Amino acid sequence: MGKQKVLKTCLVGALVCSLGIGLATTAHAQSVDTEYDLIELNRDKNQNLIIDSSFENGRQHWKTTGQGTFTDYPECAATGLWCGLLPANTNNACVYQVIQVKPNTEYVAKAKILLASSEASAFFNVKTPDVSTLINNAEVVVTCTPEQAWQYQDIELIFNTGNYSEIAICAMKWTDNTSDAIYRGQVYVDDVSLVEKNPSAAQQYDIVWADDFNGHELDTTQWGYELGCVRGVEQEHYVNDKENVYLENGKLVLKATDRPVEDQYINPRGNRKVIYNSGSVRTHGKKEFLYGRIEMKAKLPKGQGVFPAFWTLGSDFVLDGDINSQQGYGWARCGEIDIMELIGQAGDNSYGNRTVYQTAHTDNNRVTETKLAGTAYTIGENFNNEYHVFGIDWSPNKIEWYVDDEIVQSVDYSHLPIAQKALNRPQYIQMNLAMGGNWPGDVGTGLAGTEFDIDYVYYGQNASQKAAAKAYYETAPHMTGLQNITMVEGEIPDLLKNISVTEGYHVDFSIDDEYMFQSHGGRTECSLRCKGKDDAATLATLPAGKYNIHYTAIPDEVEFETDQWDSSLLVPLAEKEYKFDRKTMILTIVKAE
């Protein structure tokens, strides 16, 4: 992807909220000058919708029924090592993949199919996702002459999807007889493809927000720091030190360094020692995103237990306790989209260093978690060898994940109410370099200097995504009059003065001490220092310094329930679909004269 200067001008409206020093404002028009354009996806080049079409990339997207299976027996595949297999002496075998398609649209499905004898036959067809019903008689009966036996044939099927938005492309054999040629025959399938017959023009995306990291230091009007020991049994301590989070040569660098021995400690959630410092940054309270393409270009680290991530969380997330639990949603009711995660392994070119994962998490008050995708995508070399692009294309009820120009996973959650409540709402972006943890296991030693190098992060939208976001915000709360505040130590000012909010909502706040964080001293952390207007007396006890004040617009009719993980906390009723508005400002406390 060559560099090119691209000027993107668009109406942002309430879709991306921009907070600067002083008053918080909503930008109405914004010109975004970017170093690159969004990568052109293969979908926009009439992409093959079948994922892992030649069965070489783990076969996680393929399904089977009956005795259908896969094989890497020598010289059986048309290309590569693997292919689908419908074994001999079986009357029910199917290899298939479920794909999302456009209704009432013509598609062309192709496959290479080999029959082991001239008496055998098989079916190449289009069925409902549960492979129970043929769609619009879309089926080819595959037979062969004696000369074609043990030879791959090119099979083509042109069909219309009718009213279906999800279909299964199947290679199968089926017979009630246990002695006929179909039963006795052996069938191989490889190189399956599905493309739209007459594709429409490529979607046009406007880049409405971007950071190319071409400045001298991290832009803290857009990014904040996650600090301390936060998740799982990881072995890094997130800090805001310049050696761990910095800009260099047009890149954002998150670097792991050795944590001084005197500052190392045992992770309180397990028995691993925290031995590294590292970096984690996020746009929480400063930028939020709803529908569109969120894309990063980065070079990922390698090594045992390295754990870089590019992900989003709901903009109303209560930050693992740094915001009052009654002022937003906890994990994973807030929604989480893991755009990219890598679990490094020892050994150059190991599977872990060549594989990235795509997942979304949702739940209903931590009781009924609904995990979406959870798939892996592997390439032939370390992701550390060069820069790659990672992104999602997110629309209401649908997320597509891509690596470079390939769409590697697609999820439709229109049938999952829990996922809709958690994911069809604004999110913020986060990037971090974890070291070790429950998933990657113990981190390796000697990994100081490990880097997660990020070239850019872009956010773009097409017309339908802009319209969907606009529709959401039309019924969402909006706060005005927010500003950075200075107060005198020991006083109790009205921190809600001059703030207005949409009718039917009220505003409250939480204050944390991110700016007071010290990286040295053992297990240091950022913490909630004031829980809101009902805790205003605490303001008088805060020492002079700089703080985050997180303002949240909360529905007047909000109901609460007990948090399932901590019975001392009340949280908004998870079954309700409340809308919040969250903005972060700066509170400065000066010493009394």
Side-chain angles (χ1 to χ4, degrees):
M1 183 172 59
K3 286 193 175 184
Q4 52 181 315
K5 283 290 181 182
V6 181
L7 183 63
K8 299 288 183 182
T9 305
C10 64
L11 293 178
V12 180
L15 306 187
V16 181
C17 295
S18 176
L19 302 185
I21 300 300
L23 292 178
T25 60
T26 300
H28 293 286
Q30 180 176 346
S31 297
V32 180
D33 186 9
T34 58
E35 193 171 356
Y36 306 91
D37 201 350
L38 291 167
I39 196 168
E40 183 180 7
L41 299 176
N42 266 338
R43 176 190 57 219
D44 299 329
K45 309 170 190 173
N46 204 16
Q47 176 210 16
N48 180 9
L49 299 179
I50 300 292
I51 299 174
D52 192 12
S53 62
S54 59
F55 303 93
E56 302 296 321
N57 198 26
R59 298 159 298 284
Q60 293 178 327
H61 296 272
W62 288 99
K63 300 180 179 181
T64 62
T65 61
Q67 285 73 49
T69 187
F70 312 100
T71 182
D72 62 349
Y73 194 81
E75 300 183 3
C76 284
T79 58
L81 298 176
W82 286 87
C83 61
L85 171 62
L86 312 179
N89 300 318
T90 58
N91 62 352
N92 175 21
C94 178
V95 172
Y96 69 101
Q97 187 170 134
V98 176
I99 308 101
Q100 293 168 11
V101 292
K102 300 176 184 176
N104 302 306
T105 303
E106 283 198 324
Y107 285 84
V108 180
K110 295 181 180 181
K112 292 183 181 294
I113 294 180
L114 181 153
L115 304 181
S117 69
S118 59
E119 296 180 341
S121 63
F123 303 96
F124 183 51
N125 55 31
V126 181
K127 290 198 164 189
T128 52
D130 62 358
V131 298
S132 65
T133 305
L134 192 66
I135 293 177
N136 294 337
N137 296 314
E139 181 172 77
V140 173
V141 180
V142 184
T143 60
C144 72
T145 65
E147 292 76 21
Q148 291 173 318
W150 287 104
Q151 301 291 325
Y152 272 99
Q153 301 180 54
D154 291 314
I155 307 301
E156 179 176 289
L157 173 61
I158 300 175
F159 65 97
N160 191 289
T161 54
N163 294 326
Y164 292 92
S165 60
E166 193 172 48
I167 62 172
I169 299 295
C170 311
M172 61 185 301
K173 53 184 284 191
W174 168 261
T175 178
D176 290 325
N177 196 308
T178 58
S179 61
D180 64 8
I182 296 176
Y183 178 85
R184 298 193 309 271
Q186 185 148 294
V187 182
Y188 299 89
V189 58
D190 207 351
D191 296 342
V192 186
S193 67
L194 178 69
V195 298
E196 192 175 339
K197 185 178 180 182
N198 299 300
S200 55
Q203 292 274 13
Q204 298 298 313
Y205 293 84
D206 291 323
I207 298 178
V208 297
W209 178 87
D211 198 333
D212 278 300
F213 304 111
N214 287 330
H216 298 292
E217 58 184 21
L218 188 68
D219 183 354
T220 54
T221 67
Q222 302 185 72
W223 301 95
Y225 295 91
E226 182 180 48
L227 299 167
C229 178
V230 184
R231 283 175 297 279
V233 194
E234 297 174 0
Q235 294 176 262
E236 83 290 331
H237 193 77
Y238 289 126
V239 299
N240 52 10
D241 294 355
K242 296 298 184 184
E243 66 175 350
N244 299 100
V245 182
Y246 59 92
L247 303 189
E248 183 177 72
N249 298 323
K251 311 291 190 296
L252 168 63
V253 180
L254 305 180
K255 178 185 285 188
T257 59
D258 287 326
R259 186 159 178 78
V261 174
E262 63 272 19
D263 288 330
Q264 295 178 10
Y265 57 92
I266 300 298
N267 187 308
R269 293 173 293 276
N271 196 33
R272 291 191 178 97
K273 179 176 283 190
V274 174
I275 59 175
Y276 292 105
N277 284 342
S278 191
S280 179
V281 297
R282 58 194 179 191
T283 67
H284 171 266
K286 303 183 180 188
K287 298 285 183 182
E288 65 179 37
F289 309 87
L290 179 61
Y291 306 136
R293 285 177 59 178
I294 301 175
E295 179 176 298
M296 171 184 74
K297 183 181 180 185
K299 180 186 287 188
L300 307 185
K302 64 179 180 179
Q304 175 57 44
V306 301
F307 188 7
F310 174 43
W311 50 312
T312 73
L313 284 163
S315 60
D316 47 25
F317 181 43
V318 294
L319 301 184
D320 297 302
D322 288 345
I323 291 177
N324 187 329
S325 66
Q326 298 181 38
Q327 296 175 15
Y329 284 121
W331 188 89
R333 176 59 180 83
C334 66
E336 173 183 328
I337 305 172
D338 297 321
I339 303 173
M340 179 285 301
E341 294 177 293
L342 179 141
I343 305 300
Q345 293 177 324
D348 195 45
N349 216 39
S350 62
Y351 177 80
N353 297 329
R354 298 184 291 111
T355 302
V356 290
Y357 297 86
Q358 309 83 35
T359 315
H361 297 274
T362 72
D363 83 354
N364 219 11
N365 193 9
R366 318 188 202 226
V367 176
T368 52
E369 182 187 356
T370 300
K371 181 178 177 181
L372 309 177
T375 54
Y377 179 75
T378 303
I379 62 173
E381 62 179 7
N382 295 332
F383 275 103
N384 181 252
N385 287 5
E386 59 182 81
Y387 284 84
H388 291 270
V389 172
F390 308 93
I392 56 170
D393 194 353
W394 171 31
S395 297
N397 298 335
K398 182 177 181 180
I399 303 172
E400 293 177 318
W401 284 260
Y402 56 92
V403 178
D404 296 324
D405 60 355
E406 295 293 330
I407 295 174
V408 300
Q409 175 60 287
S410 180
V411 167
D412 184 323
Y413 52 93
S414 58
H415 60 297
L416 298 171
I418 293 174
Q420 291 175 47
K421 287 188 291 186
L423 297 175
N424 289 345
R425 58 195 306 111
Q427 302 264 308
Y428 67 85
I429 292 172
Q430 181 153 341
M431 300 173 293
N432 62 280
L433 174 55
M435 303 292 280
N438 294 332
W439 187 7
D442 291 339
V443 71
T445 57
L447 291 177
T450 294
E451 294 182 3
F452 180 10
D453 298 332
I454 301 156
D455 191 359
Y456 68 72
V457 178
Y458 292 165
Y459 171 56
Q461 291 180 307
N462 61 32
S464 62
Q465 290 164 337
K466 290 179 184 179
K470 182 175 183 290
Y472 175 93
Y473 282 111
E474 284 175 349
T475 59
H478 177 61
M479 296 179 288
T480 59
L482 300 176
Q483 58 184 332
N484 296 331
I485 296 174
T486 298
M487 60 172 277
V488 176
E489 186 178 17
E491 294 185 353
I492 306 177
D494 180 3
L495 298 181
L496 299 175
K497 184 179 180 180
N498 299 323
I499 296 176
S500 300
V501 67
T502 304
E503 184 178 356
Y505 291 81
H506 62 276
V507 178
D508 209 337
F509 61 87
S510 291
I511 297 172
D512 75 39
D513 55 6
E514 172 190 331
Y515 294 98
M516 312 285 279
F517 177 81
Q518 298 293 320
S519 60
H520 297 286
R523 187 193 165 198
T524 58
E525 60 186 0
C526 173
S527 60
L528 175 61
R529 301 298 295 270
C530 178
K531 298 179 181 179
K533 59 187 178 183
D534 293 336
D535 187 34
T538 304
L539 288 173
T541 69
L542 296 180
K546 185 177 178 182
Y547 300 83
N548 283 321
I549 179 166
H550 305 287
Y551 287 103
T552 305
I554 303 167
D556 289 340
E557 78 281 4
V558 64
E559 299 177 66
F560 298 100
E561 61 185 329
T562 301
D563 185 276
Q564 294 296 319
W565 287 0
D566 186 344
S567 60
S568 69
L569 298 178
L570 291 177
V571 298
L573 197 62
E575 68 181 35
K576 299 287 188 178
E577 198 165 352
Y578 296 124
K579 290 184 177 181
F580 299 88
D581 185 23
R582 171 77 51 73
K583 300 291 182 294
T584 299
M585 306 305 295
I586 294 173
L587 172 66
T588 302
I589 301 179
V590 298
K591 289 186 176 294
E593 295 182 356

